[in-house]
Amino acid sequence: MSTSDWDTVTVLRKRPQKPASMKTSKAINAAQKQGIPIETSKKFNAATNKQHGTTLNTAKLDRETENLHHDTVPLDVGKLIQKARQDKGWTQKDLATKICEKVQVVTEYENGKAIPNQQVLAKMERNLGMKLRGKEKGQPLSKK
């Protein structure tokens, strides 16, 4: 006869609990069937993925009045970008690929319609080898 160190263990599974929303929906359904009046209210911005509220200035900025408007890239900077890009023999797509941006971004900067982003301008300066910001616009980028 052989004896074993192993005992027989029986595992009983518990029923998974239903979420609270399931319980309440059953209670609501039962109340509706009985004709009991139910009061419901919707929470403000419930079930939306909006994490940031808009400010009141956004509508004004969209209308772009004389007093309050978006600052855009100056047209002379756009011309500098275009000239430097063409001198290197690059297309807008080539420059966009080198700075890891969309072609539309390069187009907006060259047309003077883009809202300036210092990071994008810095990437363009490095790749074109030309200063695009400050008093020395159009000067070669000096190596440190």
Side-chain angles (χ1 to χ4, degrees):
M1 260 189 131
S2 68
T3 58
S4 171
D5 291 338
W6 300 98
D7 294 331
T8 304
V9 177
T10 305
V11 177
L12 300 175
R13 291 188 186 173
K14 292 184 179 179
R15 286 186 185 162
Q17 289 191 352
K18 294 182 181 176
S21 61
M22 293 285 288
K23 293 177 186 176
T24 56
S25 64
K26 284 188 176 183
I28 291 171
N29 288 342
Q32 283 177 337
K33 287 178 184 177
Q34 294 174 359
I36 300 172
I38 300 170
E39 182 181 331
T40 59
S41 61
K42 185 176 186 222
K43 293 181 180 178
F44 180 73
N45 274 350
T48 60
N49 198 16
K50 295 180 183 176
Q51 296 182 4
H52 305 289
T54 58
T55 61
L56 298 176
N57 292 337
T58 54
K60 290 180 185 177
L61 281 172
D62 287 340
R63 282 186 248 127
E64 288 196 18
T65 61
E66 289 180 17
N67 299 335
L68 191 63
H69 65 280
H70 291 287
D71 292 327
T72 56
V73 175
L75 199 54
D76 63 330
V77 173
K79 296 294 180 191
L80 287 172
I81 294 169
Q82 186 176 16
K83 185 177 182 316
R85 176 181 59 79
Q86 289 174 345
D87 289 345
K88 291 192 177 257
W90 294 347
T91 63
Q92 288 181 341
K93 184 177 182 181
D94 294 335
L95 179 58
T97 303
K98 290 183 186 301
I99 64 171
C100 299
E101 295 289 340
K102 294 181 180 178
V103 178
Q104 181 181 358
V105 172
V106 175
T107 305
E108 288 177 354
Y109 272 86
E110 287 186 2
N111 292 337
K113 295 180 180 178
I115 298 170
N117 183 338
Q118 298 304 316
Q119 292 175 333
V120 173
L121 285 170
K123 288 193 259 184
M124 285 186 180
E125 283 179 343
R126 282 193 303 269
N127 282 282
L128 296 172
M130 175 189 294
K131 290 196 176 199
L132 301 173
R133 302 174 285 179
K135 294 180 183 177
E136 302 173 348
K137 289 180 190 173
Q139 299 298 319
L141 199 60
S142 60
K143 299 282 182 184
K144 291 184 179 179

